[in-house]
Amino acid sequence: LDVLPTFLSLLGAELPQDRSFDGVDLSPILFDTSGGESNRVLFHPSSDKEVSAMRFGRYKAFFRTVGQKPCRFANGTHAAGGKSITHEPPLVFDLEADPGETTPVQVDAVVMLKI
């Protein structure tokens, strides 16, 4: 995560023009001044070093989900990870209509390409 563009923006400074940066200024998101819908894609990496989900605008797609089990038992030992499920096609949720991600939407290939 390259946070330099955000820090410089918060300081009122500009990025040096003699090199390129892969980060973006996140200050509009931090201060809720983004102006509505964004075309920015957000990736949700898992602890398995893969992207298990991604968000684009109002939609969130899950490529892999893992069932939840207690992280630690009363005696201090750890539980094994839950069952991992790969979703092909991915589970897609409309976060405006279903912010709790309880019911996936049915999408066809044309809609999936737009997302």
Side-chain angles (χ1 to χ4, degrees), residues 4-76:
L4 184 61
T6 303
F7 288 150
L8 290 178
S9 175
L10 294 173
L11 293 170
E14 293 189 17
L15 286 169
Q17 298 299 310
D18 61 342
R19 63 196 85 157
S20 60
F21 298 89
D22 60 355
V24 294
D25 177 11
L26 298 174
S27 60
I29 295 169
L30 293 173
F31 298 107
D32 197 25
T33 59
S34 59
E37 193 75 21
S38 171
N39 289 331
R40 192 167 299 148
V41 177
L42 301 173
F43 296 97
H44 300 266
S46 70
S47 59
D48 294 330
K49 298 180 182 175
E50 69 178 3
V51 175
S52 58
M54 65 179 282
R55 179 172 178 178
F56 181 76
R58 66 187 285 168
Y59 297 99
K60 186 172 181 183
F62 286 89
F63 305 103
R64 180 184 305 272
T65 55
V66 179
Q68 297 296 314
K69 291 187 178 182
C71 294
R72 191 181 299 258
F73 295 115
N75 66 5

Side-chain angles (χ1 to χ4, degrees), residues 37 40 42 44 53-62 91-105 115:
E37 193 75 21
R40 192 167 299 148
L42 301 173
H44 300 266
M54 65 179 282
R55 179 172 178 178
F56 181 76
R58 66 187 285 168
Y59 297 99
K60 186 172 181 183
F62 286 89
L91 293 177
V92 177
F93 295 90
D94 180 341
L95 299 178
E96 287 183 14
D98 180 17
E101 300 170 10
T102 60
T103 308
V105 296
I115 295 173

